Amino acid sequence: MAEARSAVHSIRLGTVHLESVSTKAKLRGPQTAPLDGGIIIVIPAPKYLLRQLQIRLRYLWNATRHASWPLPMWGLMLVMAAFLHKVLHSPSDSWYRDNRLAKILWDLDVYVMGNLGLAKIVPLWVRISYLAVYTAFAVLLLLAFVNRLMMRMLLKYQGWMVEKKTSFTTMAWGALMQFYFAFDKHPLTFTYQSAMPRLSVPPIKTTISRFLKSVRPVLTDDEYNEYEKAANSFVRKEGPRLQAMLVAKSFYSTNYVSDWWEKYVYLRGRSPILINSNYYGLGFNNYIPTSSQVSRAATLMYHYMRFKQLLDSQQLRPMTIRGVVPICMRQYERIFQTTRVPGRDTDVNVHLDPGDSIHIALLYKGGFWKVNVVGDDGVIVPAHELEKRFRSIVELSDDAKSPLRAPAADSAEACLPALTGIERTRWAEHREQYFMDGINKISLDEIESAIIVLHLDDRAPQTWSETANLSLHGNGTTRWCDKSFNLIVFANGQASVHAEHSWADAPVIAHAWEWVLASETNGNSYTNGMCTVAAPKPPPGGTPRSPPRVSKAQKKAEEEAGIDEGVSRLYFDLSAEAKKAVLDAKDFTKKLCEDLQLIVVCHRTSEGGYGKGFIKKQKCSPDAWIQMALQLAWQRDQGRFSLTYEAAAVRLFNEGRTETIRSCTSDTKNFVTLMDDPKASKEDRIKALRAAANTHVALSRESSVGRGVDRHIFCLYVGSLALNMNVKFLKDALSMPWQLSTSQIPQRQTEGMWGKDTSDDMWSPSGGFGPVSDEGYGVSYMMASDDMTFFHISCKNSCKKTDSERFKMNIWKAFADMRALFD
């Protein structure tokens, strides 16, 4: 048995490097690589070269569509053909052939063709034709560019966001915007990116004024006066220089915030990303299409590949608001084949091109497998075939006599994912020391280059809270935290996702997950619990990669073991020191997990609660209402007020990510105080609630258009570090703790994929995250329907001041007390 495992091990070691070079050649053309002291040159077969040409032609076609938008390709070709016809049938002394530009182009062509010796060979009408086509094409691209600049200016209008009744100005603006969408009924995924406005830098005095106003409710008079004095000094002294730097950056960069935000907030962070940064998303709240784990996993993986196919070919329709305001889609580029690679000082997000990976990394009972999900012809492997491959992995892993059996449950190899959950510098050191050569590097490369990580989890959670905890941390040893996201399918068919945060924000992964769930539901996915999905037609251009080529000895060994084609086991050869590092990581992540208290609950009408339906009847913003309830619950739970974080999307701008809505305001404090003041009348409380809600709505709008506080102050601080300026005010402002961190997760982003009569069981409870502060709560919520609102509440067990169950009860009481105001 040991000899068989060793044989497979050595075979893999001798062939995977060749396989890697071979597959790269199929993707990118001839490759060279060092091998055993020499150089190997791999030239792909003609069919792969042809496929590469097809991919490049498709890329050129899409690039031309982007460049010519808003003019559709048929319009571009029609105008070019009409212009060519006019030029060819015009006399030589006509304006079309005798103007100044025509003379310059002709003289240039005479010079080039003459030097090449082609002037007498190429017919005159051919030379006139291509000069005419070039000219028409260039002019049309220039006009398209001007049109996109005009659209960018139009998109800076924001009156539509604040008007209760549509004004004539907004109607005229909407009509102009409709013009840009009129001719292209099937835009590419990234069509609108070049027309989206850039995020502008707010005036520094405005930002500082908003900051002071936001911290007033949580500071004493003396503390506030000290901040005010420091803020005014900053505006007079260091502020103008730093502001000028940001304004300059906003012109030469696509977004003056996003690159610094990803680098310094996420990638430079050295604390563990398990629980502290990564987040999760749950599946249906009370519906499991099949109890077969491998069937569910195969179907979900198949639909994720269909979603990827749409992204790769740019056929995923770009998202818009009201059909006229585009939303930035740039974050979608890195959903798949993206990995956060640890570094000693900073991490790096490594993203492979769409066709550079055809496999996933599958984890089952501590063993990693490489599974191809795209065939040699560029077609997605059908769900029933994936089901077969996944089942073979499960059977081989569970077979104690198989050389491919799963590692021992508590062994170092079975706990490898724990390394991705420790401090980033320590993980980087272990990675450099133990995983940069031999079979360990080969296997790690396969995991990091995979499209995603799929975990067939042998546990069967029975409650939302249990599923949420396993999805977020998996007890510390089963989530590959560095991957863009993990798809998790449990033994009972329940499914969820675990996502890394640096590359994108939650709405992006939620959209893809919702699309997959909707596709699974709408299609005839299962027959008697087994997969019945048929293979689709090849995508335009295909995915140019084939299954790995293996040696005859390896193929024989794997056939004898019962392994399917397109499946291979990944091995690790861990030294004693490496094993100790892994087991230490296991102990560390176990403590992290044990310190988390996470619950998922639902406030619903059928159980005496209510949802957004009741809130809207009171003519109040549902999000503002929930935020006021959270403020009331927090004050009752902690006996004080604290800075509160709510995430706002800033995707109305190119490469926009998020801004902070500072929910704890003076109006909020007044409302909360009156709610617990026995002398306050119901009318005063309602008036205070509406004032606080209106203030929150206004802050939400300001934040979503880039006029918040935190991203501007953050960039000022980063700029001060770059200029070696020690600005105490900025450091203090950014050091104030967010003891209540909240987020509303959007739902039903998949327009047209869900019926109006969708069962409540098929709403997702959405997802959540760990507490941002060790002495606070993390709360995410999703208003699933008019009668249901899901809450994910987390805190640290080590903090004696917090308790998720207690905070839930305070939220429920706040909801009840607020409803009583309108009874």
Side-chain angles (χ1 to χ4, degrees), residues 1-7 403 405:
M1 190 180 302
E3 290 78 10
R5 177 185 172 111
S6 177
R405 64 187 179 276

Side-chain angles (χ1 to χ4, degrees), residues 463-696:
T463 65
W464 296 331
S465 297
E466 189 180 353
T467 306
N469 278 275
L470 289 177
S471 300
L472 181 59
H473 56 68
N475 291 336
T477 60
T478 54
R479 303 290 167 258
W480 197 265
C481 301
D482 292 349
K483 204 63 188 168
S484 55
F485 76 98
N486 293 215
L487 171 61
I488 307 157
V489 182
F490 296 97
N492 58 358
Q494 186 67 267
S496 61
V497 291
H498 170 103
E500 199 277 321
H501 208 329
S502 65
W503 63 275
D505 300 307
V508 176
I509 202 73
H511 180 200
W513 181 222
E514 186 180 297
W515 191 96
V516 168
L517 291 176
S519 298
E520 176 192 34
T521 304
N522 293 336
N524 182 26
S525 300
Y526 306 102
T527 300
N528 297 323
M530 306 290 283
C531 295
T532 57
V533 180
K537 295 180 180 180
T543 302
R545 193 168 178 180
S546 66
R549 179 179 298 171
V550 298
S551 68
K552 293 181 179 179
Q554 180 183 356
K555 186 174 182 180
K556 181 179 179 182
E558 293 184 343
E559 285 177 350
E560 290 177 353
I563 195 168
D564 282 355
E565 182 183 1
V567 177
S568 55
R569 177 70 185 277
L570 301 179
Y571 291 103
F572 292 89
D573 185 13
L574 302 178
S575 64
E577 294 81 4
K579 290 179 179 179
K580 184 179 184 304
V582 174
L583 294 177
D584 287 346
K586 171 193 170 184
D587 294 338
F588 179 87
T589 55
K590 182 180 179 182
K591 292 178 181 178
L592 283 181
C593 300
E594 290 174 346
D595 194 30
L596 178 71
Q597 184 187 18
L598 169 63
I599 62 173
V600 182
V601 290
C602 182
H603 194 259
R604 65 176 80 206
T605 304
S606 61
E607 297 176 358
Y610 57 92
K612 63 183 178 182
F614 170 80
I615 300 172
K616 289 188 289 187
K617 289 179 180 178
Q618 314 315 317
K619 298 182 179 179
C620 182
S621 160
D623 180 65
W625 182 287
I626 292 177
Q627 285 292 326
M628 296 310 106
L630 291 174
Q631 291 297 316
L632 181 56
W634 168 266
Q635 200 281 334
R636 289 171 173 174
D637 192 84
Q638 299 293 312
R640 57 187 171 83
F641 293 92
S642 175
L643 284 182
T644 302
Y645 178 104
E646 182 187 1
V650 194
R651 289 171 61 194
L652 295 177
F653 301 91
N654 204 358
E655 295 191 11
R657 291 198 60 166
T658 61
E659 178 56 275
T660 304
I661 305 170
R662 293 183 164 229
S663 302
C664 183
T665 65
S666 295
D667 287 330
T668 300
K669 184 176 182 179
N670 180 51
F671 160 69
V672 171
T673 302
L674 288 177
M675 285 297 291
D676 286 336
D677 181 358
K679 297 180 181 179
S681 66
K682 180 183 290 188
E683 290 74 19
D684 288 341
R685 291 172 179 171
I686 292 176
K687 183 178 179 181
L689 171 60
R690 295 200 183 280
N694 290 337
T695 298
H696 183 81

Side-chain angles (χ1 to χ4, degrees), residues 404-417:
L404 301 173
R405 64 187 179 276
D410 294 324
S411 66
E413 184 176 350
C415 299
L416 273 176

Side-chain angles (χ1 to χ4, degrees), residues 270 342-345 347 422-433:
R270 299 293 84 196
R344 291 177 180 264
D345 298 316
D347 296 352
I422 63 177
E423 292 95 341
R424 303 305 293 173
T425 299
R426 273 211 303 157
W427 168 213
E429 292 169 349
H430 293 332
R431 187 175 183 273
E432 291 174 7
Q433 188 171 359

Side-chain angles (χ1 to χ4, degrees), residues 42 47 150 157 173 207 232 243 275 280 290 309 380 396 414 456 580 591 604 614 720 744 792:
V42 179
K47 67 176 182 178
M150 293 175 62
Y157 174 73
W173 169 83
T207 296
N232 292 333
Q243 179 75 355
I275 297 176
Y280 66 90
T290 177
Q309 188 180 79
I380 300 171
L396 289 168
L456 299 181
K580 184 179 184 304
K591 292 178 181 178
R604 65 176 80 206
F614 170 80
S720 72
Q744 179 191 176
H792 303 245

